[in-house]
Structure formats: structure tokens, C-alpha cells
Amino acid sequence: MPLPEDRKKDDGENGRMCIVTRESGDPDGLIRFVAGPDGTVVPDLKRQLPGRGCWVKAERALVDKAVAKKAFARALKAEVKASADLGAEVDRLLVGQLAGMMNLARKAGQFVTGGMNVDKAVRTGAAIAVFHAADAAADGVRKIDQARRARMFAADEETEIPSFRFVSAAEMEGLLGQNAFIHACVLAGQAGEGVVKRAIMLEKYRGTDSVRAHGDARRPKQ
């Protein structure tokens, strides 16, 4: 979502520039922070909170660095305190945001759960991304990885559809309640694509590559 004009003004002359790397970028690759009423630094993932804001590239290591170097106080031009676990807080918010979009995708009919259902959706080309609980059984993950690989070759595509593993089954239950899953996939559509967008952001924030880490293959070059 584009940053409103009044937010751009509030964020100063540098606008959307990472306060750690000093690089400008698209807001989808940055996280906005503002000073809360109590003087603490608050993540503004939706980019809607009022007041002067500052930006950090969406990487956990850079958020931690901004805290360590007290970069928020300088950027916000205020006596603010950044919690030592601000990086972990952002991670929790990103996970919650992803879970919320999964629920929207489910309501829109763009979220499929269950190993057999996911396997079928992958093989027929309906699935655009796969999700597993971090502690899902290796055999179940392997079978779906095989389906992803088979679909890649059948459709003559360059790579498999992405696969993500972010939280354990127990954490999943805490986030999604009765909608928790071990294996799931998302289908094409606004909500399903929103899930993938947020998954990619969380993956980049954590500095991991879930796709290749869990069975991605590429078609050999001819």
C-alpha cells in the first residue's frame, strides 16, 4: 500500500530510506517505525500510525543493528527507547499478519489443508505455494516435494512453486486455533497471493530461504 502524502512529509526529507543502510526502497521491502505515546519505538507494519516515522529494511539483522546503535532516536529526533527484543517483536507481528491473511484466504476458498488435498492441488497446478508446520513429519513433506517437482516438469516450468516452513504445529494452533494445519497450500486469487507476499516478506526478514531449504529443484539447463 502506498504511503499517504502526509506520512511522507511526517517521515522527513529522506522519506523511505533505511536508517541503517541509508538505501531507499519500495515500502514493501521496508518496515516503518514510530514513537509510541510512552516513548517506546513501535513497529508500524500497516504504515498507518500518525506522527514522524523512520524506516528499516525488512531484515531482522538490520532491526537489531538499529537498536544496538540507537539509530531510532536520531531518526525520529526524539528521546525514544527501542526494546532489546524489538527484532523479535517484529517477527511475531509478521507471523501474525501472515496468519491473518491465511484466514482470509480460507474464507475466500483459496486455502487448502491436508496432505492428500495439498498433493492434488500441487499436481493439478492449482496451488501457487505450499506451507508446512516446521515440525511436520519428513515423509509428508517429502511426498509433497515430489508433487512440486513433478508439477514443475509436467508444466515445463523453470522452478517448483515455493514451499515455506515458519512455525511449529503447536505455534500454529495458537495462531489459527481449529484452522491449524500440518500441510497446506494457497490457490491463485487476491487473498492467496496476499499470503504468498507476506510469506516472502517473513522469509526475507528472517534471512532464510525456505524454498531451497526444503526441497526446491530447478529444471536442468538444456
Side-chain angles (χ1 to χ4, degrees):
M1 182 177 66
L3 190 69
E5 289 301 319
D6 59 341
R7 290 289 181 277
K8 293 179 183 177
K9 294 175 183 177
D10 288 343
D11 289 359
E13 295 179 1
N14 291 327
R16 296 186 295 271
M17 183 178 73
C18 175
I19 62 175
V20 178
T21 67
R22 313 306 292 177
E23 297 172 346
S24 297
D26 186 279
D28 285 341
L30 297 162
I31 298 171
R32 185 174 186 262
F33 294 86
V34 299
D38 60 353
T40 59
V41 176
V42 178
D44 180 20
L45 267 59
K46 293 184 178 181
R47 307 189 288 273
Q48 295 177 343
L49 295 178
R52 185 185 187 92
C54 64
W55 302 79
V56 178
K57 192 174 180 181
E59 296 178 14
R60 170 70 183 270
L62 294 178
V63 175
D64 289 342
K65 189 172 183 179
V67 173
K69 291 185 172 294
K70 297 180 170 54
F72 290 107
R74 291 193 298 273
L76 294 172
K77 300 185 184 302
E79 292 295 326
V80 295
K81 180 176 177 58
S83 170
D85 68 348
L86 183 62
E89 180 185 353
V90 172
D91 189 284
R92 289 191 295 271
L93 291 172
L94 289 172
V95 170
Q97 195 175 66
L98 174 61
M101 185 55 69
M102 285 178 172
N103 279 330
L104 289 177
R106 184 186 299 274
K107 292 176 182 177
Q110 297 166 20
F111 198 83
V112 174
T113 59
M116 292 181 63
N117 294 331
V118 172
D119 187 283
K120 181 180 178 180
V122 171
R123 291 182 184 275
T124 59
I128 60 173
V130 167
F131 292 83
H132 305 286
D135 52 353
D139 186 57
V141 174
R142 178 182 56 79
K143 289 177 180 177
I144 293 173
D145 280 346
Q146 289 174 343
R148 292 167 59 225
R149 194 168 297 115
R151 178 61 192 176
M152 177 186 72
F153 282 94
D156 196 27
E157 297 173 346
E158 290 298 318
T159 60
E160 301 170 10
I161 62 171
S163 175
F164 302 96
R165 298 175 74 173
F166 291 124
V167 299
S168 68
E171 291 171 311
M172 192 89 67
E173 188 170 351
L175 288 165
L176 298 172
Q178 63 181 8
N179 292 328
F181 60 84
I182 300 299
H183 307 288
C185 68
V186 289
L187 312 181
Q190 185 175 1
E193 290 159 11
V195 172
V196 178
K197 178 180 177 180
R198 284 160 179 78
I200 291 172
M201 185 172 186
L202 177 57
E203 178 181 78
K204 289 181 177 178
Y205 181 76
R206 290 184 172 183
T208 60
D209 192 339
S210 298
V211 178
R212 281 185 285 278
H214 298 286
D216 181 46
R218 297 176 183 275
R219 177 178 288 279
K221 295 182 178 179
Q222 301 298 322

